[in-house]
Amino acid sequence: MTQVAVSPGASAPHEAGDPPVPAGHVRLTIDGVTVIAPKGELVIRTAERIGIAIPRFCDHPLLEPVGACRQCLVEVEMGGRPMPKPQAACTQTVADGMVVHSQLSSPVAEKAQRSNLEFLLLNHPLDCPICDKGGECPLQNQVLANGSATSRMRDPKRVFTKPIAVSSEILLDRERCVLCQRCTRFSDQIAGDKFIDLLERGSAQQIGINSAEPFQSYYSGNTIQICPVGALTSTAYRFRARPFDLVSTETVCEHCASGCAMRTDHRAGEVTRRLARIDPEVNEEWNCDKGRFAFPYVREGDRITRPMVRDADGALVPTSWTDAMSVAAGGLLAARDSGGVGVLTGGRLTVTDAYAYAKFARLALRTNDIDFRARQLSAEEAAFLAARVAGGTPESTGVSYAALEKASAVLLVALEPEEESPILFLRLRKASRRGVPVYSLGALATRSLAKMSGTLIGAVPGGEPFVLTALASDALAGAGVPDAESRNKLGALLRTQGAIVLVGERAAEVPGLLTAVDRLAERTGAALAWVPRRAGERGALDAGALGVVLPGGRPVSDPAARAEVERAWGASLPETPGRDTAGILAAVGIAEPDDVASPDRGPAGFADDHADEPARGLAGLLIGGVEISDLPDPAVALAAVASAGFVVSLEIRASAFTELADVVFPVAAAVEKSGAYVNWEGRIRPFAAALPQAGTLDEARILDTLGVEMDVDLYTQTPAAAAADMARLGVWTGARADTAVDHDEQPATHRRHAETIGLSPVINTERAAAGDGSAAGFVLASWRMNLDGGRGLDGEPHLAGTARPDVARLSAADAAVLGVRNGDLVAVRGPASSITLPVAITEMLDGVVWIPARIDGIGTPGRLGANVADRVQVVAAGDTGAAAGKGR
Amino acid sequence: MSFLDPVKGFGVTFATMFKPVVTEDYPKHPDQPAPRYHGRHQLNRHPDGLEKCVGCELCAWACPADAIFVEGADNTDEARFSPGERYGKNYQINYLRCIGCGLCIEACPTRSLTMTNEYELADDDRQRLIYTKDMLLAPLLPGMEQPPHPMRLGDEHDYYARGPELLRQARQAGPLAAEPVATKDTPSPTGAPS
Ligand code: SF4
Ligand code: SF4
Ligand code: SF4
Ligand code: SF4
Ligand code: FES
């Protein structure tokens, strides 16, 4: 689009023979080089393109220009007349016929820049030896390159108390700050968390926070990375190393399905810090604090370092790999032949590890009983994933980060991006700032929705399918329907080119929702993408670690698809579609074929879609990376695993399941192995091992060896081999199974479900609005927060300090009915127990109460005995709360 | 070749007997090297015993032989090893690598690292030639206190900006304790343990 024309000696810009200027472009001269630039481009960028580096501190390509530091001064001539003073190249836009002289060709610009450095250093402390930025500091580098060797400053420097903690993770040393405002502009423009700002004037000017509001942003770590001096540092990395000590590896974050590119720096065998790596397609230059700071968990004391087997006394004892392999192989073979083995893999697997599990289950264990979902799930979800998601790529689905920026509208269903996929949130916010309308279907207008200037389409938890069905129909919503105007607008937008529907993994919690989403996308033509929370889920789906789908999205039930895999693997595959996590756990230890676990296992159990499945008693389990508190009913899961005849567990750190296992294998954490994740877009995110010398093995390698012990070859010795084996299979091009539930039957199912939760399809929201909610109980809404005490956050207390406080959210009307104010305590009561939390009055539907899905590391649905969309009671929790409320 | 050659050799030997001796009576009477000899390193202390090293790693950075390993850490109110925010938690010099060039001394911003006249750096064990912080730290002189302890000489600023003054005060207050050759530290009157 833009072209660079370098005509020697072309100081007069309009010589004959110059290429013509394309429309929307201008021709200017920088340091004697004629260049054509698009209108509106900043001089500093144009100069960059032709290889002229103008020094800068405040300028950042992803932030709006501000001209705060004055380091980029250049001499500019317009129409033959020099401008009276040097101009800031980072705010000056190009113009036709402009002549720019940078420090390379203008003594005035050179002097201006040198003087500005001296000025910036007036109050800058001599901190380089003790400053974390030393060695990679733009200020240090520029002063060494262009600054004066001596200072003319004779007076004492201005001093500030150093450092002050703007949050538990971020420390601010105001003496070092050059007031470039990159941090404040990032927080305001990119993250939307304006907790940090410029205070005071003159020489007292400084960055600061409102003392009542710490810098509680999920993205605060980015300010450290873009601060051009060492004014912002992290508690975690403080004084840990110098840049030259560090060995950097290009990695990818293992904490969520956003798939951020990262740089992992290590020193002496330990990771010291992680930074966001630039990837314009995915995370641009940012990442979230979880990805940046949550890495010490691999060093926790409960790390499993040696294989263990259970000895005669029932104690787990360390043993050799050979011994553990033969015990595991023997036990799994026996269990396979006496009822079968189920495979549960959690959300942390790389694609190749998941592929090894999928292949191991089919070939060594001869079963399709494998499920990567360690959370609320449903058969409907499995069908949806197999039909609509597996094997998709940004190209094939048309949904990508870049597509969001150009979308005609984005509808979020069962998705709270800031909590569940933080970088997706940043991109949505960027899109919304460019005018892309964002809609969220749900019960709460959250703060992040406000940050995306989004519109809430109200739906009581459990009622979402009705709203989607209404949107899918061509009839306009009448005046009586809540949010009628926004609904009609959204309905129209969804039918335009480029509309995108993003559905979160929580959609599995509401029966009929995924089918409704699927149908909406089909009817309106909107592109559809599924956004899981954890990094490994999407890759596990593509690798076939699910009972109904083989690698590449091949349906198990399709003989042609099976035959393709059989040819590639050279072995026959089991035909029966596998059970899901709930089905596997329910089938453990059941001997009689018709002794089915009761389909109604209480509200905390899984959805009741397993009643019609034949139950074979599973004799063994292979469990990798499943965290018990992620499961909807930990007690049931624990009992099932305890009753299983033979359990093999592959884990990084000791867990409730390794305690029960017969054989435990230690596995490599993400930093210790190479591999790839697949992010929510379906994009492969390969990464290298930061600590390959750690002496740990990845799961694909362990399963490969275990396979050999069981007379099966998996060809997954190395991630490269496994990836190649998987690539040979490719993606299924044949017909996909339809989503499970027949579209035309669906509304009846909806209605039945809606009635069970006390909401008829027609009046769902209206009834709640009438205030019946509090009497009949509240409908529970819930999702997991970004920082919620998960085990991946262990070992980094400073990060945990920036977690958002746990609150119960109620609408103003409901709070008034209950007589509570912000900060008062309320008890949320489910059938099993109650949880007491302070109230935060939120703009949301009446009759709904929201609480975090995990508090103190324990899942709340399991604790309450109530799932999302179930009824719970909410009562004011007495005087203590009232007193606390008065304090505010 | 002359027949006198063998005798010439004796002549050299004979003449040498009347020249000054160049060999040294080591190890019975080891000689003092020149005052600025580049001997074993020393990590100096402030007059109250706090360490001067701030763990900045500039010495390690400057070292052409990569002989120095440093890891910094935070001073806290409970455990303070040096004035200011940062101290050297882990400090090692590998004398199998060190070529005695002294560039590390030039680099040290706090004059923490200096060199002594000790040159007996030979051993038959690799491990013993990696000197750790406890072996490199200057001895505690009278009036010094083993860190961690709070700053006894005022605030951080005083340690750096008023260093020479504090030193003069100490010199005037009484006879100086024996100073290590390469350091100018002296016990301070205010540095007495409380
Ligand atoms: S703290 Fe850093 S990023 Fe923020 S204004 Fe100061 S120098 Fe700029
Ligand atoms: S957004 Fe997700 S992938 Fe990116 S750093 Fe955060 S947790 Fe990691
Ligand atoms: S004297 Fe030279 S070689 Fe020895 S540690 Fe210092 S800088 Fe390195
Ligand atoms: S000895 Fe000096 S240069 Fe080396 S780390 Fe300590 S203060 Fe820095
Ligand atoms: S970079 Fe232009 S004013 Fe800061």
Side-chain angles (χ1 to χ4, degrees):
Chain A
M1 172 190 76
T2 56
Q3 49 169 304
V4 180
V6 185
S7 39
S11 48
H14 289 293
E15 275 174 28
D18 274 351
V21 182
H25 286 62
V26 296
R27 191 200 313 265
L28 71 158
T29 312
I30 304 179
D31 288 345
V33 177
T34 306
V35 47
I36 291 171
K39 268 197 187 120
E41 192 175 48
L42 299 169
V43 168
I44 200 166
R45 300 266 172 284
T46 316
E48 230 162 52
R49 281 195 290 116
I50 58 171
I52 297 173
I54 298 174
R56 81 224 35 201
F57 294 114
C58 66
D59 171 68
H60 190 285
L62 297 178
L63 302 176
E64 284 160 24
V66 25
C69 73
R70 315 312 289 174
Q71 189 54 46
C72 61
L73 295 176
V74 292
E75 248 196 311
V76 178
E77 271 173 42
M78 275 301 292
R81 279 213 344 264
M83 288 193 170
K85 284 190 286 185
Q87 299 295 309
C90 72
T91 52
Q92 178 73 53
T93 49
V94 292
D96 208 31
M98 183 183 256
V99 179
V100 178
H101 293 287
S102 80
Q103 73 280 6
L104 300 178
S105 66
S106 152
V108 174
E110 199 275 334
K111 177 150 189 278
Q113 292 176 6
R114 192 154 35 80
S115 310
N116 194 56
L117 272 181
E118 191 178 0
F119 174 70
L120 287 178
L121 290 185
L122 280 186
N123 281 319
H124 198 84
L126 276 172
D127 266 358
C128 298
I130 55 160
C131 173
D132 279 337
K133 203 81 171 187
E136 54 181 9
C137 173
L139 180 63
Q140 199 180 41
N141 292 347
Q142 284 187 38
V143 172
L144 281 174
N146 312 316
S148 11
T150 53
S151 169
R152 288 181 284 167
M153 173 87 165
R154 291 287 166 265
D155 300 313
K157 295 192 179 214
R158 170 208 59 192
V159 288
F160 284 123
T161 313
K162 62 198 303 175
I164 53 171
V166 288
S167 75
S168 60
E169 187 65 86
I170 313 285
L171 301 172
L172 168 66
D173 189 320
R174 293 163 294 173
E175 290 176 0
R176 298 179 190 158
C177 173
V178 294
L179 298 171
C180 71
Q181 300 168 46
R182 276 187 177 186
C183 54
T184 54
R185 282 182 295 148
F186 169 83
S187 304
D188 180 25
Q189 296 164 15
I190 307 290
D193 296 325
K194 204 167 171 31
F195 292 128
I196 174 168
D197 209 348
L198 212 51
L199 316 173
E200 307 288 348
R201 300 229 144 238
S203 71
Q205 196 167 43
Q206 54 182 279
I207 299 293
I209 50 168
N210 174 346
S211 52
E213 274 182 332
F215 189 19
Q216 226 155 42
S217 165
Y218 289 153
Y219 307 97
S220 60
N222 291 298
T223 60
I224 300 175
Q225 196 172 341
I226 58 173
C227 178
V229 293
L232 292 166
T233 53
S234 72
T235 323
Y237 177 65
R238 207 169 144 77
F239 305 157
R240 293 285 309 279
R242 287 280 170 204
F244 70 91
D245 296 324
L246 300 173
V247 182
S248 303
T249 317
E250 299 202 338
T251 58
V252 167
C253 176
E254 75 272 32
H255 285 298
C256 89
S258 288
C260 292
M262 313 267 294
R263 193 181 106 192
T264 300
D265 288 353
H266 75 271
R267 177 188 195 186
E270 272 197 3
V271 174
T272 49
R273 67 169 173 182
R274 301 208 299 193
L275 304 169
R277 184 154 55 90
I278 298 177
D279 187 341
E281 296 288 308
V282 178
N283 54 316
E284 302 197 293
E285 301 194 14
W286 322 121
N287 79 338
C288 82
D289 287 0
K290 180 149 79 170
R292 188 176 296 263
F293 298 119
F295 56 80
Y297 68 94
V298 300
R299 304 199 281 257
E300 287 295 280
D302 54 3
R303 187 77 200 263
I304 301 171
T305 51
R306 297 192 49 196
M308 294 186 285
V309 295
R310 212 162 276 286
D311 66 7
D313 307 333
L316 269 184
V317 288
T319 183
S320 69
W321 278 93
T322 335
D323 181 42
M325 281 290 169
S326 64
V327 175
L332 287 176
L333 280 174
R336 177 188 80 190
D337 298 335
S338 68
V341 180
V343 183
L344 303 178
T345 74
R348 69 157 156 76
L349 300 186
T350 61
V351 196
T352 46
D353 286 346
Y355 178 70
Y357 275 105
K359 200 167 174 183
F360 186 84
R362 270 64 184 231
L363 299 188
L365 302 174
R366 300 187 193 146
T367 177
N368 281 316
D369 284 341
I370 177 169
D371 196 345
F372 65 85
R373 296 168 297 171
R375 51 176 171 79
Q376 269 296 355
L377 49 81
S378 68
E380 179 192 6
E381 185 194 21
F384 170 82
L385 294 181
R388 288 298 296 248
V389 182
T393 60
E395 293 75 36
S396 70
T397 60
V399 190
S400 64
Y401 282 108
L404 292 174
E405 282 179 39
K406 298 192 285 279
S408 58
V410 180
L411 170 63
L412 309 174
V413 180
L415 181 62
E416 176 63 20
E418 189 171 6
E419 306 293 351
E420 296 172 302
S421 194
I423 289 304
L424 172 60
F425 167 76
L426 285 195
R427 202 53 93 91
L428 281 170
R429 180 157 198 274
K430 183 177 178 194
S432 73
R433 280 168 65 89
R434 297 181 171 194
V436 174
V438 176
Y439 292 85
S440 171
L441 180 67
L444 283 76
T446 55
R447 199 173 77 87
S448 35
L449 187 63
K451 287 193 277 185
M452 296 182 285
S453 321
T455 314
L456 181 73
I457 305 286
V460 173
E464 294 96 334
F466 308 112
V467 183
L468 291 184
T469 311
L471 278 171
S473 81
D474 294 329
L476 287 184
V481 177
D483 304 322
E485 202 181 316
S486 347
R487 275 201 208 188
N488 291 338
K489 213 161 132 201
L490 171 63
L493 283 171
L494 283 176
R495 286 165 172 80
T496 58
Q497 173 73 25
I500 293 175
V501 179
L502 297 177
V503 56
E505 68 175 29
R506 284 189 281 119
E509 292 168 357
V510 177
L513 181 50
L514 282 164
T515 315
V517 168
D518 191 16
R519 173 141 68 157
L520 175 73
E522 224 162 72
R523 290 271 162 90
T524 59
L528 175 62
W530 176 70
V531 184
R533 211 176 53 85
R534 299 195 57 187
E537 295 218 345
R538 187 53 213 281
L541 173 64
D542 289 2
L546 186 64
V548 295
V549 54
L550 294 167
R554 292 174 176 77
V556 169
S557 50
D558 185 335
R562 272 206 316 276
E564 233 182 72
V565 179
E566 281 173 351
R567 264 198 306 286
W569 287 356
S572 65
L573 295 185
E575 288 171 25
T576 345
R579 284 169 279 210
D580 57 22
T581 305
I584 289 169
L585 288 174
V588 166
I590 298 165
E592 301 305 315
D594 38 25
D595 181 11
V596 184
S598 159
D600 180 18
R601 287 182 298 109
F606 292 90
D608 57 349
D609 19 312
H610 309 292
D612 48 350
E613 283 178 15
R616 275 184 294 140
L618 285 179
L621 286 174
L622 173 62
I623 306 178
V626 178
E627 192 47 55
I628 180 143
S629 59
D630 288 344
L631 294 168
D633 196 336
V636 167
L638 213 53
V641 176
S643 70
F646 189 75
V647 179
V648 177
S649 174
L650 282 77
E651 253 316 340
I652 300 178
R653 290 163 58 199
S655 74
F657 291 142
T658 60
E659 293 306 312
L660 296 173
D662 297 285
V663 182
V664 179
F665 289 108
V667 301
V671 281
E672 296 157 357
K673 62 183 176 192
S674 59
Y677 294 111
V678 178
N679 76 352
W680 67 267
E681 301 168 284
R683 193 189 296 273
I684 307 236
R685 310 291 291 150
F687 62 90
L691 304 172
Q693 313 298 341
T696 46
L697 299 179
D698 63 37
E699 283 150 287
R701 169 81 187 273
I702 295 171
L703 291 174
D704 182 75
T705 315
L706 198 52
V708 171
E709 292 276 325
M710 297 168 72
D711 274 339
V712 171
D713 280 320
L714 299 186
Y715 304 107
T716 59
Q717 299 91 330
T718 62
D725 196 52
M726 192 175 158
R728 266 194 297 281
L729 268 172
V731 175
W732 176 237
T733 45
R736 293 285 173 105
D738 203 359
T739 41
V741 194
D742 190 295
H743 285 172
D744 294 332
E745 274 175 26
Q746 188 57 21
T749 332
H750 281 184
R751 203 161 297 121
R752 184 157 49 83
H753 180 71
E755 271 146 18
T756 60
I757 60 168
L759 295 169
S760 93
V762 192
I763 57 155
N764 51 0
T765 47
E766 289 91 319
R767 174 165 165 180
D772 296 357
S774 57
F778 286 75
V779 182
L780 182 65
S782 182
W783 54 71
R784 285 187 60 173
M785 306 292 281
N786 185 4
L787 302 174
D788 63 356
R791 293 189 81 197
L793 307 180
D794 288 351
E796 183 43 61
H798 311 296
L799 174 63
T802 65
R804 301 204 172 141
D806 293 325
V807 291
R809 298 192 180 276
L810 288 173
S811 71
D814 286 336
V817 171
L818 292 174
V820 289
R821 283 169 302 164
N822 260 332
D824 289 359
L825 294 181
V826 291
V828 180
R829 285 203 193 121
S833 70
S834 89
I835 296 174
T836 304
L837 289 171
V839 168
I841 294 174
T842 308
E843 189 195 332
M844 59 193 282
L845 300 188
D846 297 329
V848 178
V849 59
W850 179 92
I851 58 173
R854 197 173 155 116
I855 297 172
D856 303 331
I858 304 174
T860 40
R863 195 152 130 192
L864 284 178
N867 277 326
V868 164
D870 287 341
R871 289 259 152 167
V872 292
Q873 301 297 321
V874 180
V875 290
D879 297 336
T880 33
K886 274 180 204 117
R888 294 191 132 228
Chain B
M1 193 155 161
S2 142
F3 72 100
L4 276 177
D5 282 355
V7 187
K8 252 191 200 161
F10 283 114
V12 171
T13 312
F14 189 74
T16 306
M17 287 163 77
F18 300 97
K19 287 188 181 154
V21 179
V22 294
T23 55
E24 282 169 20
D25 189 15
Y26 184 85
K28 282 194 200 117
H29 299 101
D31 205 3
Q32 264 303 312
R36 290 185 170 226
Y37 178 77
H38 285 187
R40 175 179 73 74
H41 300 73
Q42 169 168 288
L43 289 169
N44 298 312
R45 295 177 189 273
H46 287 286
D48 61 351
L50 285 180
E51 295 159 14
K52 284 188 168 179
C53 177
V54 293
C56 67
E57 303 191 25
L58 291 187
C59 48
W61 207 336
C63 178
D66 199 6
I68 308 186
F69 177 84
V70 190
E71 248 176 6
D74 262 296
N75 280 317
T76 58
D77 286 340
E78 298 80 50
R80 168 171 295 288
F81 292 87
S82 72
E85 296 171 63
R86 177 173 176 149
Y87 78 103
K89 183 173 82 170
N90 190 347
Y91 196 101
Q92 300 171 11
I93 297 184
N94 182 344
Y95 282 104
L96 291 160
R97 287 179 157 230
C98 175
I99 53 170
C101 65
L103 289 181
C104 48
I105 311 302
E106 305 266 329
C108 181
T110 61
R111 275 256 157 245
S112 162
L113 195 65
T114 53
M115 282 170 139
T116 64
N117 284 356
E118 185 188 332
Y119 52 78
E120 291 173 302
L121 294 166
D123 211 315
D124 57 5
D125 183 281
R126 285 167 171 270
Q127 204 53 46
R128 279 203 294 269
L129 279 167
I130 298 173
Y131 277 49
T132 48
K133 186 176 163 189
D134 49 319
M135 301 156 87
L136 293 166
L137 265 177
L140 286 169
L141 299 176
M144 287 186 179
E145 192 185 337
Q146 177 69 43
H149 63 76
M151 290 186 272
R152 307 269 186 227
L153 306 181
D155 66 9
E156 183 192 351
H157 188 71
D158 296 325
Y159 278 82
Y160 292 108
R162 294 181 51 235
E165 192 185 324
L166 293 169
L167 186 70
R168 261 195 306 283
Q169 279 173 13
R171 280 176 200 271
Q172 278 156 13
L176 286 179
E179 285 177 24
V181 178
T183 174
K184 291 283 180 283
D185 287 341
T186 54
S188 146
T190 54
S194 46

